[in-house]
Amino acid sequence: MSASKKRKVDDPLAALVRRAVALRRELHAYPEPGFEEKETQRRIRAVLAELDVCADARTCAETGLVADIAGPVGKKPPTDKNAVRCVALRSDMDALRMTEKNECLAHRSRHEGVAHMCGHDGHMASLVLAAALVARRKDRLPAGASVRLLFQPAEEGPGGALPMIMDGALEGVDECYGFHNWPSFPLGEVHVKPGALMAHVSEFTIIVKGSGCHASQPHAGVDAVLAGSAVVQALHTITSRSTRSDENAVVSVTQFHAGEATNVLPDSAVLKGTIRDLDPAVFDLIEKRITEVSAGVAAGYGATAEVKIDSMYPVVFNHAASYDHVVAAAGDLGLPVSAAGLPMLGAEDFAYLIDEKMGGVPGCFFFVGGKEDAVTKLAALDVNLPEAAKVGAASALRSNCMCHATAYDFNDNIIPVAAKMYVKILERRLGCALYTDDELAGLQ
């Protein structure tokens, strides 16, 4: 074995990356939905202790975790009252209620109907790696300073960030940062902007009521299916005809439920969907138009429509100063920074953590790209297929399909990139030097 290869094998930082990748795949194989992340919580707690990060991580919001990494004790803390004392880093924990179709993956989901198809497994692994890196150099943190790790449940719903805040997760925290992987952005590229980054999200339910009858005698009733279908088509005209072209918003009908038998026209049809917007005034307009359009179109078919709209996560609104720190951290690492594709109409309950009206603190959320060539690092894919079939499997797995797709899998090459971003943000905000540029450059 050459000296260079031996150094790579023995490198403790490289070993941490390998452990983080292994953890990611463990978490992927055993996903749990919102507020059911008990095994996930146990695994994270165990690996934090294993890596000497924290032996006393505390439960928060039922299935979440909070852990602190404190600076040296006994030294005199800075006298500057405005100095940042505690920076929080957040990862979501929950999986989606959906079926994974990556049959060739050795680490595919073992839990029927639940899968990590948004990358929260990778977000957790990235935060664990960052935590392990900080813990190894915690003596270099300023006296009185600390890093808080937030492992948050239920981001996909019903929302775990607010319960974390209510359970004290941000007590003593000055700033909070988090990231999300994004498969369509180039690997290692940081996408971020100040202000509105992600959308306010709402859910709606519309019950279209008609009058059921025999399917061979539609004139004898009021066809709720037909009326509901017309409502669906009309709803999709709201953003194109009622909002300005420069106002980002979307209305999507995602469910249509009606009937029990093929020879019966049902009494009612139930429509469900989502609204995404970046401006309260736009949301108010859309809410008004959904009610008006649903009632008016249904009435045209002799039916009625009941509308219920539930407002959920607010806009993710990045603080300008925190945005500057993220951009500077990326610059320190030589990572490209872009605002392309932003703001996007996906939603995130990280919004609460940096919404001071809701008990949050200043902070910033950013994206790390995961797009790369189809067969890059094929050997690391770990697929259960004959060698001859691995190239095809690699092409499928590295096809950069989007989050929430049945063939999605988090790109493990993001893990060291995100961890280094966290380290650099902490160095800048806490005023310390944890690692040299050469050390971080070799972390991959």
Side-chain angles (χ1 to χ4, degrees):
M1 179 183 292
S2 69
S4 62
K5 287 185 177 179
K6 187 176 189 304
R7 281 197 300 273
K8 186 174 182 180
V9 170
D10 295 341
D11 185 350
L13 298 188
L16 287 178
V17 175
R18 292 194 296 272
R19 181 65 186 95
V21 170
L23 172 65
R24 200 284 292 183
R25 296 178 182 185
E26 292 169 19
L27 295 170
H28 188 94
Y30 299 98
E32 296 170 303
F35 290 125
E36 296 181 25
E37 306 96 331
K38 294 181 179 179
E39 177 61 16
T40 303
Q41 183 190 63
R42 186 197 67 76
R43 287 174 184 270
I44 295 297
R45 195 193 298 272
V47 78
L48 291 177
E50 170 197 330
L51 297 176
D52 294 323
V53 173
C54 177
D56 59 351
R58 60 188 183 278
T59 297
C60 188
E62 299 181 21
T63 52
L65 281 176
V66 172
D68 290 321
I69 305 172
V73 178
K75 293 184 180 180
K76 188 176 180 180
T79 57
D80 183 0
K81 293 182 179 179
N82 296 319
V84 173
R85 298 285 194 269
C86 181
V87 176
L89 305 175
R90 174 269 201 174
S91 169
D92 34 23
M93 300 170 68
D94 56 322
L96 287 156
R97 292 186 183 275
M98 61 181 290
T99 300
E100 180 173 11
K101 295 297 180 67
N102 289 317
E103 296 301 325
C104 60
L105 279 186
H107 57 272
R108 68 188 179 279
S109 174
R110 269 59 160 181
H111 293 168
E112 186 70 26
V114 184
H116 271 299
M117 308 311 283
C118 195
H120 297 186
D121 50 345
H123 300 165
M124 287 183 279
S126 299
L127 183 53
V128 166
L129 176 57
L133 292 170
V134 174
R136 290 175 63 88
R137 302 284 172 87
K138 62 184 179 182
D139 59 311
R140 301 186 185 186
L141 291 172
S146 63
V147 178
R148 180 159 298 170
L149 312 175
L150 305 178
F151 292 92
Q152 179 218 301
E155 185 279 324
E156 298 290 355
L162 202 52
M164 290 280 284
I165 293 172
M166 294 172 67
D167 212 1
L170 291 181
E171 289 179 5
V173 171
D174 296 306
E175 297 176 3
C176 185
Y177 296 86
F179 92 99
H180 202 292
N181 78 97
W182 206 249
S184 65
F185 297 153
L187 177 64
E189 196 166 278
V190 174
H191 284 239
V192 66
K193 68 176 292 292
L197 180 83
M198 299 181 73
H200 161 236
V201 58
S202 306
E203 294 181 350
F204 63 82
T205 299
I206 301 169
I207 302 175
V208 178
K209 294 184 177 180
S211 177
C213 62
H214 198 287
S216 69
Q217 306 288 312
H219 60 278
V222 174
D223 191 344
V225 173
L226 180 62
S229 300
V231 170
V232 170
Q233 294 186 63
L235 291 177
H236 288 151
T237 68
I238 290 175
T239 54
S240 67
R241 292 296 177 267
S242 297
T243 63
R244 295 199 317 264
S245 60
D246 62 343
E247 293 174 328
N248 288 336
V250 68
V251 175
S252 290
V253 179
T254 56
Q255 297 180 38
F256 191 123
H257 303 281
E260 298 174 295
T262 58
N263 61 348
V264 177
L265 290 177
D267 284 327
S268 63
V270 179
L271 319 179
K272 294 187 177 184
T274 184
I275 307 166
R276 308 298 174 103
D277 66 87
L278 297 167
D279 184 331
V282 172
F283 169 71
D284 290 344
L285 173 62
I286 291 174
E287 183 178 38
K288 177 175 179 288
R289 292 297 292 139
I290 286 179
T291 301
E292 292 172 344
V293 167
S294 299
V297 171
Y301 289 83
T304 61
E306 295 179 1
V307 178
K308 179 183 179 184
I309 299 177
D310 293 319
S311 181
M312 298 175 66
Y313 308 161
V315 170
V316 176
F317 197 91
N318 283 334
H319 294 243
S322 301
Y323 158 81
D324 289 340
H325 301 317
V326 169
V327 171
D332 291 341
L333 295 168
L335 299 176
V337 178
S338 174
L342 303 176
M344 64 174 61
L345 295 181
E348 248 284 354
D349 72 341
F350 183 88
Y352 291 112
L353 298 174
I354 57 173
D355 185 342
E356 294 176 270
K357 298 188 299 295
M358 302 299 295
V361 297
C364 184
F365 196 66
F366 58 96
F367 294 92
V368 176
K371 182 179 181 180
E372 63 176 341
D373 293 338
V375 294
T376 299
K377 295 185 181 288
L378 173 60
L381 289 180
D382 188 24
V383 293
N384 286 332
L385 287 177
E387 289 298 321
K390 281 192 175 183
V391 173
S395 180
L397 294 170
R398 287 292 186 262
S399 63
N400 305 306
C401 63
M402 286 304 299
C403 304
H404 294 215
T406 58
Y408 169 85
D409 185 38
F410 182 90
N411 186 344
D412 291 328
N413 295 322
I414 294 173
I415 293 173
V417 177
K420 288 188 285 188
M421 277 293 296
Y422 280 148
V423 168
K424 275 298 179 184
I425 290 169
L426 292 172
E427 288 182 339
R428 283 188 160 272
R429 300 312 299 133
L430 296 176
C432 59
L434 302 175
Y435 287 87
T436 67
D437 291 343
D438 286 344
E439 286 174 318
L440 290 180
L443 191 70
Q444 54 188 334

